[in-house]
Amino acid sequence: MRPFDGRRVLLGVTGGIAAYKSAALARDLTVAGAAVDVVLTRSAREFVGTITFEALTGRPVHDQLVAAGHALDHIRLPREADVLVVAPATADFIARAAAGRADDLLAASLLAAGDTPVLIVPAMNDRMWAHAQTRQNVARLREIGYHVMEPETGMLASREEGSGPGRMPEPSTIRAHLARLLEPASVLGGTHIVVSAGPTREALDPVRFLSNHSSGKMGVALAEAAWRRGATVTLVAGPLAVEPPTGPQLVSVETTAEMADAVRAALATADALVMAAAPADFRPRDVAEQKIKKGAASPTLALEFTTDILRSTRDARRPGCVVIGFALETQGLEAGARAKLAAKECDLIVANGVEAGAGFGTDTNRVTLFGRDGAREELPLQDKRDVADAILDRLARLLDGR
Ligand code: CTP
């Protein structure tokens, strides 16, 4: 099933140069399964054509508040939609929406949105975004209950290099926010979840390090899914081999000690910790200040253990904080997992064996879950995103039981 199958999206486009990106958004959502009804403002039509959107969505485009035979589109369209998104939303549109105007089809549709979630995606010159009047208008929209995305910093669609935020986020980012708004209410909504991902690196000298094959895929899938379910997510990650997700706040670290500090700091407000990272367990006892040269004798590395992050943060957890650890075992899966469950004081351990299609770097994983209550549950070999969803279902139950 595609993520937007059976969903209806009302996409409002206002008159900014970034409107060309909305065509990509309309296509992206349509390919993902959504029925996309596009509403163009009068000035949007100066930037992009009706035909473009009709061709991309396979549906008629709307641009008139009062059109023969369609006098009630501003009531019908929002009522039929599962979510409304205005992208790009210009400074002028934001001002009109904040004032509750209903002088065109899009503004009137917002007023008729009822309980349907509304996502506003601002795009404008960085100075206009920073203006006190725009700040006030945006604050008003948020007060009303609209979700307003933060624009990005970087080159504006007008090819000007904005020195502050103003640029419209990419269609994939907007799509992730829409998926979040379409997600049914979950106990994870409003919670703070800390997820760790990826390997850590321990330097030998300025150019070499000890690490492992972790890609961070499992942790990123967990962070992404927790955010989609409405949680505020802190993703503490070592060097990732995959793109970091949209939504979670990324804290990038290098060493196990840095990861331990970042996890500890985030735990101050956390309702749950999911420790999917593969921190390096050893580090060189001495880090050479200069590159180690090839000498006559073969070199010997003296190693020492790094901090066990899960164990060391037992005292940093708030009462009721749910803790999920992972265990990678090449033999004695159950005994190893249960020992880690107890020693690291976890509520659940997600155990991995080593086999083809599971573990480091793959897109799929086969895990067995061991609960503090003695439960044991084997999950099938599946995509890491499905494994993440299964783990979060268990996390939701554990949070619910608190
Ligand atoms: N972990 C941790 N700090 C470390 C190493 C691991 O917090 N320095 C966490 C992992 O993120 C995982 C769990 O502990 O959630 C188990 O990791 P694993 O590598 O399976 O076990 P180790 O504790 O490292 O034990 P061993 O290598 O002896 O199996």
Side-chain angles (χ1 to χ4, degrees), residues 256 275 277 279-281 306-310 325-328 340 344:
T256 298
M275 199 64 207
D281 282 324
T306 55
T307 317
D308 185 314
I309 301 171
L310 264 179
F326 277 67
L328 179 67
K340 287 172 189 169
K344 303 186 187 215

Side-chain angles (χ1 to χ4, degrees), residues 90-92 94 122-138 151-158 160-168:
T90 57
D92 177 63
I94 287 172
M124 63 195 73
N125 172 277
D126 51 320
R127 294 224 251 173
M128 294 172 81
W129 174 250
H131 193 285
Q133 184 64 61
T134 307
R135 313 288 349 115
Q136 207 178 3
N137 293 339
V138 167
E152 295 175 352
T153 303
M155 194 191 278
L156 301 169
S158 58
E160 255 182 275
E161 193 63 50
S163 56
R167 193 169 98 118
M168 180 159 121

Side-chain angles (χ1 to χ4, degrees), residues 248-307:
Q249 192 215 343
L250 179 67
V251 181
S252 295
V253 297
E254 183 92 7
T255 64
T256 298
E258 284 170 14
M259 185 175 274
D261 288 345
V263 167
R264 178 173 280 275
L267 279 175
T269 52
D271 298 293
L273 167 65
V274 185
M275 199 64 207
D281 282 324
F282 332 98
R283 67 174 168 222
R285 192 166 340 146
D286 305 298
V287 183
E289 266 177 42
Q290 304 299 333
K291 185 182 170 206
I292 303 168
K293 288 291 197 186
K294 285 194 290 271
S298 60
T300 309
L301 276 183
L303 299 177
E304 62 184 14
F305 286 116
T306 55
T307 317

